[in-house]
Amino acid sequence: MSTSMYGTAQAAASLWLLPVRNRRVILWNSIPDVSQLPASASGSLSLLNLQSSSCSPVCSGDGICSSSGTCQCPSGFTGSSCEACSSGFFGPECQACPSGCTSCDDGISGTGRCLVPVVSNLPSSCNCINGECGANGQCTCLSGWTSASNGTQCAACAAGFFLATNGNCEICQLGCQQCADGIGDCITCASGFTQDGNDRTITTCPTRSYGAGSSCAICSPLCTICTGPNSNDCVICGSGTYKFNGSCVTTSSGGVCSGSNMIANNDKHECDTCGPKCTTCQISNFNVASTVNQAQCTGCLPGFVLSQGQCVTSCPSGTFLSPQDNLTCPACSSSCSSCAGSATTCLACANNLLASNGQCVSSCPSNTFSSSGSCVSCHPDCATCSGASFNQCTSCNKALPVLTSGRCLATCSQNQYFDTTSSTCQSCDSSCASCSGAGPNNCLACSSSSQVLRGGACTSANCTSGTSVIPSLGACLSDLVQVLPSGTSSGALPSGLSTPITTTTQRLQWWEILLMALGCTFIFVAFLYCWRRRARKQRAKETAAFASAKALHKQNWRWLFGHNRSTRPETEEIALWKLRAAEEARHHKEMEMLMGAHEHSRSGSSRSPSLHLYNHRESYDYSDVNRLSGSLYSQTTGNVHSRPEPRQPVKSDPLSSRFSTTTLGSSVPKRPNVLKRQLLPSKPLTAAESYAASVRQSPEPDPSHWITPTNTGGSRNLFRK
């Protein structure tokens, strides 16, 4: 049996296709084959957009409706319908603001113009107010300022200064140690000065003299008023010099005191501070008649701009911030009431003109609307508009041609089509569920479930083989799948369908099954071999690691796993220890025989003790001794252990022989001759030991029979009574 399946062109939700004649076709349902489309929609089609139709309200032109019913916005867009730009983005494509700007003219109708440039080392970045932040985070205060009690740097006036009404710390009058904020009245005089109660100014001795006890003395020629005879005792300096940090200094042509950024004050005869937020200042054509009010700032703290000799937070109307230095505020062109970036880039125009893209025009161009003296761009969904919102469109462009309640949409409702002549939505024919035009021959889907689409027209299905119409495809199942007997051709195909794809099934032959089984067996055997080989290698590694950890690599350790242990050569200590063991064993046996002979004589036997166990004293068998001396068990019981003996630690200092304290020899490395070893003299023998020695020296009897002793006139056995 074989089956054949016909290729289909399908679309889910809302699929937008663009034919050759630049006419869009909106497909709301899937279709089996493009040949079922109307003749007006035939041609080479390409996909334009694909999205769900479940979003309400409909997404704007840049949003994509998802199957969950929400609009997915591209980067930079925001809003429930993706109709606006996020903060920091501007224009119809919602581009990011230029780099180097803290804020710009953002929004979907914005121009992206930089409003506030990025300023480095702001005073606020290091908890400072009237100073400049350094790289180490410390603030360098302007003259007259110091840290406040709350820890804020450069927030209070220093000693000898007062807070003026303009917000700047100015220096007190000469001779005044502390003065009141506001107008600077002296509160506390410096040492050596008194205060006049009438005008609250400082009073001293007559001009060019100073108080010397009860009289006044003449000052230095450099001083007008002084407190002593030297030039550094001046209270008021002479002509052309001004008091600064206790000394009289000269000024530049701009009135700046030498060695400082302070300005000369002719009223106070001393160096005073510049204006608020000024880092530097000067007085043009400075002379003795110049006043401190004539001082013009030439530098400002970060975050402030320079306008008409003063430091302000922003450029005033009619000026713009110079992009060259980001400090000065040049004036706009005469045609502009306000400008930005350059003098001729107008934001607002004079003479009732409208600003459009920096130019002054009499009326706003298309796709813009007038607002506050300038032309603002419409929302990108609109061709023309009455406001900036996406629901304030008055006409639409070709991409979103349908105007509905101020919105420009891509399509009409499902049972309507867009009439390009009237630019309105018209209802489809009653036989069509969706259509591309008027009449029954422009259907894209059929309204009746018993009809199918054929060339844009809905006709009766007449499904064969007991099949029915598939609702999601709008075609008979028999038109899509044909079940044919094996070996027969598919015959004629339904109209409009392409050549079917025929597939056949065959059973495997016996030799194919055998080859598959052999292949599987070979793979299994190869796997088993590799696994066993790997296990052996792993076991060998573990054994080697065990031997290395137990230091068994220095000896033959295979006896631990059942192999015969190789015989190791005996050391000097082991040979001596075995010899001592043999001597002790022989001594014990002789003493046992001696005690046995004594007991025999006491019982009245006439026979001498039997020495049949020893034919010759020199022929003593040492094999048992050697065998018995090999373990603690053999030494204790006198029997050979029937099982392998456990390994004993090698004694570095074996016990000395009870016969001699020098049996082991000295530390001389020469190996002693153990066969010719002689014992050192021991303690004197007892009577029993002397008798035993005499018995050994007598000829040993034949162990085959007992010898009857001959009475020689008395026994020498000391143990006989």
Side-chain angles (χ1 to χ4, degrees):
M1 178 180 293
S2 63
T3 60
S4 60
M5 180 71 74
Y6 299 94
T8 61
Q10 304 180 16
S14 179
L15 174 63
W16 301 354
L17 302 177
L18 184 64
V20 178
R21 291 188 291 271
N22 202 23
R23 181 182 177 184
R24 298 190 316 156
V25 177
I26 311 298
L27 296 180
W28 294 85
N29 303 94
S30 301
I31 59 172
D33 195 278
V34 293
S35 61
Q36 294 181 271
L37 294 175
S40 60
S42 62
S44 177
L45 303 177
S46 60
L47 181 65
L48 179 63
N49 197 351
L50 174 65
Q51 59 179 294
S52 174
S53 59
S54 58
C55 292
S56 180
V58 181
C59 301
S60 69
D62 294 290
I64 301 296
C65 183
S66 64
S67 58
S68 61
T70 58
C71 295
Q72 296 180 350
C73 303
S75 176
F77 287 85
T78 188
S80 59
S81 299
C82 307
E83 73 279 5
C85 289
S86 303
S87 178
F89 295 83
F90 72 96
E93 302 297 330
C94 288
Q95 305 173 24
C97 288
S99 59
C101 289
T102 303
S103 65
C104 72
D105 182 18
D106 55 8
I108 203 160
S109 300
T111 61
R113 174 175 49 87
C114 187
L115 300 177
V116 179
V118 174
V119 179
S120 59
N121 296 329
L122 284 172
S124 58
S125 63
C126 61
N127 192 29
C128 181
I129 296 180
N130 296 281
E132 296 182 83
C133 294
N136 58 354
Q138 296 296 321
C139 184
T140 303
C141 299
L142 298 177
S143 298
W145 291 93
T146 188
S147 297
S149 58
N150 61 359
T152 304
Q153 301 183 76
C154 309
C157 292
F161 292 81
F162 69 95
L163 185 63
T165 55
N166 60 0
N168 189 40
C169 285
E170 298 180 0
I171 197 167
C172 295
Q173 295 285 340
L174 285 171
C176 186
Q177 185 176 0
Q178 182 182 5
C179 50
D181 292 340
I183 59 176
D185 287 345
C186 188
I187 298 175
T188 303
C189 293
S191 177
F193 292 87
T194 59
Q195 189 175 30
D196 188 346
N198 295 326
D199 59 6
R200 305 180 68 85
T201 58
I202 298 168
T203 59
T204 63
C205 287
T207 302
R208 300 185 182 279
S209 65
Y210 66 96
S214 59
S215 61
C216 293
I218 299 174
C219 294
S220 169
L222 299 177
C223 302
T224 302
I225 300 176
C226 65
T227 59
N230 301 321
S231 60
N232 56 358
D233 294 328
C234 295
V235 175
I236 298 178
C237 296
S239 177
T241 59
Y242 299 85
K243 193 69 174 290
F244 176 68
N245 288 340
S247 301
C248 295
V249 297
T250 59
T251 64
S252 66
S253 59
V256 180
C257 293
S258 300
S260 71
N261 289 329
M262 302 180 74
I263 195 74
N265 190 329
N266 288 320
D267 295 333
K268 298 178 181 179
H269 303 283
E270 56 186 335
C271 297
D272 207 346
T273 58
C274 294
K277 311 301 180 183
C278 290
T279 56
T280 57
C281 60
Q282 66 177 6
I283 299 176
S284 299
N285 301 320
F286 176 76
N287 53 53
V288 294
S290 298
T291 62
V292 73
N293 294 333
Q294 296 176 334
Q296 299 287 312
C297 294
T298 57
C300 300
L301 290 176
F304 292 86
V305 295
L306 190 61
S307 176
Q308 297 179 355
Q310 295 181 344
C311 292
V312 295
T313 56
S314 61
C315 292
S317 178
T319 62
F320 68 97
L321 181 63
S322 174
Q324 281 75 27
D325 54 19
N326 284 331
L327 176 65
T328 57
C329 296
C332 295
S333 172
S334 58
S335 60
C336 302
S337 57
S338 64
C339 59
S342 68
T344 58
T345 303
C346 299
L347 299 179
C349 299
N351 303 322
N352 295 326
L353 295 178
L354 300 173
S356 176
N357 292 328
Q359 303 296 322
C360 293
V361 296
S362 57
S363 61
C364 290
S366 178
N367 198 31
T368 61
F369 67 97
S370 176
S371 175
S372 302
S374 61
C375 297
V376 181
S377 298
C378 293
H379 193 276
D381 287 359
C382 307
T384 58
C385 61
S386 59
S389 177
F390 75 128
N391 57 2
Q392 292 180 304
C393 300
T394 56
S395 64
C396 302
N397 51 42
K398 293 182 179 180
L400 303 171
V402 181
L403 181 62
T404 303
S405 301
R407 288 285 310 273
C408 289
L409 305 178
T411 180
C412 301
S413 60
Q414 184 173 356
N415 60 352
Q416 292 180 328
Y417 70 95
F418 181 73
D419 185 10
T420 56
T421 303
S422 60
S423 298
T424 57
C425 292
Q426 303 293 330
S427 298
C428 294
D429 186 79
S430 59
S431 63
C432 303
S434 62
C435 61
S436 61
N441 294 325
N442 286 311
C443 294
L444 300 176
C446 297
S447 58
S448 175
S449 60
S450 62
Q451 291 182 324
V452 295
L453 190 63
R454 293 285 186 269
C458 292
T459 60
S460 178
N462 295 327
C463 298
T464 60
S465 302
T467 61
S468 59
V469 177
I470 302 175
S472 59
L473 295 178
C476 293
L477 180 61
S478 59
D479 293 342
L480 302 178
V481 179
Q482 290 184 349
V483 180
L484 304 176
S486 179
T488 61
S489 60
S490 60
L493 299 176
S495 174
L497 298 180
S498 59
T499 303
I501 301 174
T502 303
T503 60
T504 59
T505 59
Q506 295 181 356
R507 298 182 60 182
L508 294 176
Q509 300 295 325
W510 65 269
W511 57 270
E512 294 176 333
I513 298 175
L514 178 61
L515 287 178
M516 293 174 61
L518 291 176
C520 293
T521 304
F522 174 76
I523 294 174
F524 174 75
V525 171
F527 171 77
L528 183 61
Y529 171 78
C530 293
W531 178 78
R532 289 294 302 275
R533 184 177 180 182
R534 182 178 179 274
R536 290 193 191 98
K537 291 183 178 180
Q538 185 67 23
R539 186 163 57 250
K541 289 181 180 179
E542 294 175 355
T543 303
F546 172 78
S548 176
K550 299 297 184 180
L552 299 178
H553 62 281
K554 299 180 180 179
Q555 55 185 328
N556 189 356
W557 48 265
R558 294 183 177 270
W559 63 275
L560 293 174
F561 303 98
H563 298 278
N564 293 330
R565 180 168 50 179
S566 61
T567 304
R568 291 180 292 179
E570 294 183 348
T571 61
E572 177 183 348
E573 291 79 3
I574 296 176
L576 293 176
W577 186 76
K578 288 183 177 181
L579 183 59
R580 287 197 303 274
E583 291 176 353
E584 292 176 357
R586 183 178 62 186
H587 174 73
H588 289 315
K589 283 192 175 291
E590 290 177 351
M591 293 303 296
E592 289 175 0
M593 290 177 62
L594 181 61
M595 296 301 295
H598 174 67
E599 293 295 334
H600 184 272
S601 62
R602 291 185 60 183
S603 62
S605 175
S606 60
R607 296 182 179 181
S608 62
S610 177
L611 301 177
H612 66 278
L613 294 176
Y614 294 91
N615 293 330
H616 299 283
R617 192 170 37 159
E618 307 321 295
S619 62
Y620 177 74
D621 186 6
Y622 289 90
S623 61
D624 290 342
V625 176
N626 293 336
R627 190 165 56 253
L628 296 176
S629 62
S631 67
L632 183 61
Y633 175 85
S634 301
Q635 298 174 20
T636 305
T637 62
N639 298 323
V640 179
H641 204 293
S642 59
R643 297 181 181 178
E645 296 291 345
R647 299 182 62 189
Q648 299 293 335
V650 179
K651 298 181 180 180
S652 61
D653 186 16
L655 297 175
S656 302
S657 171
R658 69 184 181 88
F659 297 104
S660 173
T661 57
T662 59
T663 303
L664 295 179
S666 62
S667 60
V668 179
K670 181 177 180 181
R671 184 186 179 107
N673 189 349
V674 298
L675 299 178
K676 298 180 180 181
R677 181 174 59 88
Q678 296 181 358
L679 301 177
L680 295 177
S682 59
K683 295 180 181 180
L685 298 178
T686 62
E689 291 175 343
S690 299
Y691 173 75
S694 65
V695 172
R696 290 194 196 100
Q697 294 173 1
S698 62
E700 296 183 2
D702 187 359
S704 63
H705 62 274
W706 291 99
I707 302 175
T708 302
T710 304
N711 188 1
T712 59
S715 175
R716 291 185 299 169
N717 190 345
L718 299 179
F719 298 96
R720 295 179 67 97
K721 294 183 180 180

